[in-house]
Amino acid sequence: MQRDDVIVEIKVRDNGPYKVTGPVRLIDANGNEFEGPAEGSSVLCRWGKSETKPFCDKSHRASGFESCPRASV
């Protein structure tokens, strides 16, 4: 499969995580790959206190985390 025409989408969810859809590899500062979903989408923590960093564990819901950024149009 050629990946030149594949678009990776990163969606900023209101008051929640980043949803990443598409073929991506998530690499730490040492060059090691995180184990995540093989295909489909990943959900990445945006508030920084997930117990499963860098992935979301939904703990932001009870924390009162609020953030709803919008792109300039």
Side-chain angles (χ1 to χ4, degrees), residues 24-28 31-35:
V24 297
R25 291 185 322 143
L26 187 58
I27 309 295
D28 70 13
N32 301 308
E33 187 171 350
F34 285 96
E35 244 184 82

Side-chain angles (χ1 to χ4, degrees), residues 9 13-14 18-19 27-29 33 38-39 41 52 54 62:
E9 178 180 272
R13 293 179 164 182
D14 286 351
Y18 295 115
K19 181 179 181 185
I27 309 295
D28 70 13
E33 187 171 350
E39 293 183 20
S41 62
T52 59

Side-chain angles (χ1 to χ4, degrees), residues 33-53:
E33 187 171 350
F34 285 96
E35 244 184 82
E39 293 183 20
S41 62
S42 299
V43 184
L44 302 177
C45 178
R46 190 158 61 108
W47 83 297
K49 297 184 181 176
S50 171
E51 293 293 320
T52 59
K53 287 182 210 150

